[in-house]
Amino acid sequence: MSYFSAWNERSENTTNQALYNAYVSAYYDKEKGAYDKILSQYPDRSMITDAVALPLALQLGYTKDEMDLFLGFLDGINPSLNEPLDLPNITDDTVLTLDIDVEKLFINMREAKADWLYGLSSWKNVFSQEELDRLSIRYRESKIVRSEKVGRNDPCPCGSGKKYKQCCMNH
């Protein structure tokens, strides 16, 4: 069974809730540590460029027995990569390059509501506080629902200058 298959099976199997909770908790702890190591070295990408999977996993805090969790990490970061990885075919010897679009990664972390990740202090190695604030505002503004519906007290779209309720609302 591939590491990716093991990740999918274990991360979706909720038959034993205690085992599932322990697995997910271990995943989140490892994920946080891995992101912190990568972001702490930014802009140096040498650790994540042309890296062999198992040694990279070990550098990021995973053990050989936790390669399924490492694949979970790669599954999570994959949408933020400029060149997505072929996750099902990753083995210990696969050469990986994590070409991360850091803005996209930050927004995706916000989207996932992963405050333990987008709140990492190591983001300050990547962005200034002003840039982090700008990205956070951009994310929040993207979630605001806007309606093109004309309100009863808005000017009528026919151009009469009257309120909509006094003009075309009743036609």
Side-chain angles (χ1 to χ4, degrees):
M1 176 185 296
S2 74
Y3 292 132
F4 188 63
S5 297
W7 157 251
N8 281 325
E9 185 178 302
R10 292 188 72 190
S11 66
E12 295 172 5
N13 184 354
T14 58
T15 53
N16 181 331
Q17 197 62 43
L19 216 76
Y20 171 79
N21 289 345
Y23 186 74
V24 170
S25 179
Y27 166 75
Y28 287 147
D29 288 344
K30 295 289 182 171
E31 177 190 43
K32 182 178 178 181
Y35 277 118
D36 195 43
K37 285 180 182 159
I38 290 170
L39 296 173
S40 293
Q41 293 187 6
Y42 191 86
D44 180 5
R45 296 174 185 236
S46 60
M47 178 176 66
I48 57 174
T49 302
D50 294 330
V52 178
L54 180 58
L56 176 60
L58 297 172
Q59 270 190 292
L60 293 177
Y62 298 88
T63 66
K64 168 74 172 130
D65 293 336
E66 296 172 328
M67 286 301 286
D68 57 322
L69 292 175
F70 178 64
L71 263 289
F73 166 75
L74 294 178
D75 191 20
I77 201 172
N78 213 26
S80 303
L81 299 178
N82 291 318
E83 288 289 323
L85 302 170
D86 181 14
L87 299 173
N89 293 316
I90 293 177
T91 66
D92 292 349
D93 301 322
T94 304
V95 176
L96 306 172
T97 293
L98 305 182
D99 183 15
I100 304 168
D101 179 333
V102 288
E103 278 195 25
K104 194 174 190 182
L105 177 63
F106 185 81
I107 295 296
N108 287 344
M109 287 175 173
R110 294 294 309 246
E111 189 75 37
K113 298 175 179 40
D115 57 338
W116 65 95
L117 296 177
Y118 68 77
L120 287 169
S121 62
S122 50
W123 274 109
K124 290 187 171 56
N125 294 333
V126 181
F127 298 115
S128 68
Q129 187 59 51
E130 294 79 28
E131 290 171 313
L132 287 170
D133 293 344
R134 177 185 56 79
L135 286 170
S136 292
I137 289 169
R138 188 174 98 196
Y139 167 76
R140 284 193 300 272
E141 285 178 347
S142 74
K143 299 300 166 199
I144 295 173
V145 177
R146 297 187 188 345
S147 174
E148 299 301 320
K149 185 177 176 185
V150 179
R152 16 178 314 123
N153 289 316
D154 291 338
C156 190
C158 77
S160 68
K162 296 180 184 178
K163 289 185 179 184
Y164 180 59
K165 69 180 177 185
Q166 299 296 324
C167 188
C168 293
M169 183 174 165
N170 298 319
H171 293 108

